[in-house]
Each structure stands twice: as structure tokens, then as C-alpha cells.
Amino acid sequence: MCAGLRRDATGNDAGDTATALVAWGNAWLTGHVGLDEGVDAVEKIAGPQIVSGVTFAVAGSGAAPPGEVQLRSGLGDLRVHGLSGLRLALPAPGDPLGLTGPPGFNRAAIDAGAAVIAVLPDRTVGLVPAEDRRGSSYVGVRWEAHDTAPGTPDVPALPDADRQLTLAMREATEVLLTVDDVAGVPPEITDTLADLRDPDRGDHPLAPGYPQRAHRVAALAGRLALVVELARSMDDQGLTADQMRRRAEALRLLDRAVRRARVAACNSAFDPVP
């Protein structure tokens, strides 16, 4: 799990949930899957989902009052009003990756660790995930709508994110194995690091229609996110202050590269095919 992402009661993190919505939503928008198939795939990851607070202008009556609708209906409504794409944001404190404001939306997205931006002809709508718990057994996701500021977020292109992820992976691997030495690294981390030698092993965390490079980068970023989470949970006992500093800095840079890679992969659905 990347820094800033929050796990919900089902064990999923907000970044995984937002990634699924963007990937499968864009697969639907590009005609690679139907709406039902896309929503089923998203809800398989994080349970039932609703959209709350989206307003639309209605001819002759101003804006329709915001309501609460099932994800399937919410996406359909957005499509009727010109939805052309979904963008992923994975911000962290001090790093508003994928966000354009205003401050209220940015704060909500940073607190959640993720957001989805729905692109409409005349505006964008920010959707921030939150746990939706009802009664003793129902746990799902509520997407709260926010007004967003116009503008293009400062996010890397997929090739740049791919290169930066590879560099950060090499540096972090070297630091982890020299600072903690192999005997002190938990087997979960060493196994994950070993898996990194085979970045094309067939993981497909996105959805149909994405370029192969996006699938590969997203899969690698997902495995590296696990490295970050596990390494940050390791005990600092026995390490010097300099070793702790080096490990923390390597993990910070790796986390930053992971989030950028996930965003670039998810947002590449509409990139020109080379």
C-alpha cells in the first residue's frame, strides 16, 4: 500500500478501489466492455458502491438536486452528460498527484489517499472514496462528488513513469538489502523482490483495452507498493540513525515512483497507439 492510501473494512485500499473504477470505467468508455461488466469488476474488488452528490443542469429547472445512486446508474448519468474519460489521482501529504484543486477537494482526496476525476465537456467532477457501512454486515464504498478546478494535472507520461519506477526500484532494492542485510529482511519482502525479476509474468491489474506497457507498469507498481508497505512495517531495532534515514528516504522515493506509475498507467487508456 502506498503512503496516504487507506484500507477500508474489507481490506482493500482506496488506491486499489480508485484504480479499478478508472481502469474499468475507461474500458467501458472506449467500448471494450459493457457497463454491467465494468461495474461488476469494480464491485468485485471493493463491494457495492454508490455515487453521492453529483448535480446536473436540467433544462428549464436549473440544477437537479444531488442524490445517491448506485454506481451503475451514476456512471450512466455521467455518460448522458458527456463523460469522456476518468482520471486517477493518488495524492499524499505534500504531493497532490493528479489534483488541480480547489483546496477543499484536495484535502478530501489527500485524506482518502485517492480520487477519481470524471471529465465532462464543460467541467470535471472529483469523486472521493469513503467507507459506506450500513448495519452490522453491509460494507461498501461511497463516492462523494466534489467540484474541481479546471486545468490539467501535473502527472507523468507512461514512458517517463516507467523509467522512473525502474530506477527507484533498483535504488530501493540495493538500500534494503544492504541496510537490513538479507538475513534481516522478512521473507515476504525477499520473495516480492525476487518476483521483480520477472516483470512480465502475466499480471493484468487494469482492464481490457489498455496498452501492454500499461499492464506491465501497473503490475510492477503493484508489487513494489507491497514492498513499500512491508518495509515500512519492519522493526528499526539494530539500525543506526544513518541506516534508518537511508531506508526511509529510499522508501519515500519508491513510494513516489509507484504512485506516479499507477497514475500514468491508469490514465493511458486514451493515449495514441505508437
Side-chain angles (χ1 to χ4, degrees), residues 77-227:
D77 290 343
L78 287 166
R79 184 58 168 159
V80 168
H81 287 82
L83 175 67
S84 60
L86 297 172
R87 298 197 306 248
L88 178 65
L90 294 178
D95 182 17
L97 177 65
L99 304 177
T100 59
F105 169 57
N106 284 8
R107 284 193 298 270
I110 290 170
D111 287 345
V116 172
I117 292 85
V119 181
L120 300 172
D122 58 348
R123 61 176 177 144
T124 55
V125 176
L127 302 173
V128 177
E131 181 180 282
D132 184 30
R133 183 183 290 276
R134 308 182 188 199
S136 59
S137 59
Y138 178 98
V139 180
V141 174
R142 174 191 299 272
W143 293 95
E144 294 282 357
H146 294 255
D147 292 330
T148 60
T152 302
D154 183 15
V155 296
L158 183 58
D160 292 337
D162 188 4
R163 286 190 290 271
Q164 292 302 315
L165 184 64
T166 299
L167 291 173
M169 174 186 69
R170 291 172 180 167
E171 294 173 3
T173 299
E174 180 180 355
V175 169
L176 286 175
L177 296 182
T178 55
V179 166
D180 297 288
D181 74 60
V182 176
V185 177
E188 296 92 339
I189 294 182
T190 55
D191 290 346
T192 303
L193 291 175
D195 285 343
L196 298 178
R197 300 190 186 106
D198 182 19
D200 299 302
R201 64 178 186 175
D203 304 57
H204 294 287
L206 297 178
Y210 274 87
Q212 184 58 39
R213 186 176 197 172
H215 284 289
R216 177 180 59 77
V217 170
L220 180 58
R223 297 201 294 276
L224 287 168
L226 178 60
V227 170

